Amino acid sequence: MPSLRLDQLRTRHVGPIDLCVVAGECVCIQGASGSGKTLLLRAVADLDPHHGEAWLDGEACSKLPAPQWRRSVALVVAESQWWSERVGDHFERGVDGAWMELLGLPGAALEWQVGRCSTGERQRLALLRTLMQGPAALLLDEPTGNLDKDSTQRVEALLDGYRRQRQAAVLWVSHDPSQIERVAQRRFALHQGRLEEDGFE
């Protein structure tokens, strides 16, 4: 069961960061706007230039092809990219009907045009698309940022179940202290480029 480890990871305005998220653990990060939370996640996902190293179960990010790393260490952002007009075209491995139901999405959603989906529907579908790839680690950048209370609870429940069942390592950026209280086993504040454990109210 893989853990996610950051070893002296540095990117623009952030770092060096040392952190280990063990298998099945959810670690949350909060910080002021512009503190570098998204930059940190993008560096871990190998999307931006960075120094230091990220490890997944002993495998170094620098030793793996970027697409292989990103399948295992998947970044979910509030506004994901879509490359086809039809929702179902983005689900190469099919879809888990129970997960769709848990997210409040009808089976017919796979036939929808992406352009007709609300921001919240696209956000939930993008999360589902990522989970269907079976990543061992999740990097979540405000995954409920555009959602109402009901949809937020649905997403939190799905992510909690995925983390427990798959023993996934989860690194979750959130601006909502009450959400962090609900989902995190450990929490950090990102301040002046460094992580401070329990460093906020």
Side-chain angles (χ1 to χ4, degrees):
M1 291 178 286
S3 60
L4 177 67
R5 191 174 91 248
L6 311 182
D7 183 8
Q8 292 288 292
L9 193 76
R10 302 186 308 281
T11 187
R12 290 176 294 157
H13 316 303
V14 178
I17 300 292
D18 291 304
L19 178 67
C20 183
V21 184
V22 301
E25 182 183 30
C26 178
V27 172
C28 280
I29 298 175
Q30 188 181 42
S33 179
S35 61
K37 303 180 299 296
T38 295
L39 292 175
L40 174 59
L41 293 189
R42 287 183 59 85
V44 178
D46 199 23
L47 289 169
D48 287 346
H50 59 276
H51 301 281
E53 190 63 273
W55 303 79
L56 182 68
D57 195 27
E59 287 197 281
C61 172
S62 62
K63 302 300 183 184
L64 296 175
Q68 182 179 341
W69 176 262
R70 293 172 195 151
R71 279 193 298 271
S72 297
V73 182
L75 174 63
V76 178
V77 298
E79 278 292 331
S80 293
Q81 299 297 312
W82 301 87
W83 52 87
S84 181
E85 292 184 1
R86 178 178 167 272
V87 168
D89 292 342
H90 300 85
F91 289 83
E92 297 177 358
R93 301 187 181 187
V95 68
D96 186 316
W99 286 358
M100 287 194 72
E101 184 176 353
L102 181 56
L103 289 177
L105 295 166
L110 294 179
E111 301 302 325
W112 292 350
Q113 297 294 299
V114 172
R116 76 159 291 282
C117 296
S118 69
T119 301
E121 288 168 340
R122 288 198 304 273
Q123 191 167 15
R124 283 175 285 157
L125 285 164
L127 172 63
L128 184 62
R129 181 180 74 193
T130 298
L131 295 184
M132 288 305 302
Q133 301 297 316
L138 285 170
L139 310 173
L140 306 175
D141 193 358
E142 302 284 5
T144 61
N146 297 316
L147 303 182
D148 59 22
K149 182 178 179 180
D150 177 68
S151 294
T152 293
Q153 291 173 341
R154 290 175 177 274
V155 166
E156 288 178 2
L158 177 58
L159 287 169
D160 183 64
Y162 185 90
R163 175 182 62 81
R164 293 172 182 271
Q165 293 164 15
R166 307 294 180 93
Q167 285 295 289
V170 178
L171 188 58
W172 186 326
V173 164
S174 176
H175 69 278
D176 183 353
S178 62
Q179 179 174 71
I180 292 173
E181 289 287 346
R182 292 192 298 270
V183 304
Q185 280 76 59
R186 285 188 295 150
R187 60 186 196 173
F188 293 82
L190 186 60
H191 179 65
Q192 295 183 344
R194 301 298 182 97
L195 289 181
E196 300 174 358
E197 190 160 10
D198 288 325
F200 53 91
E201 296 181 358

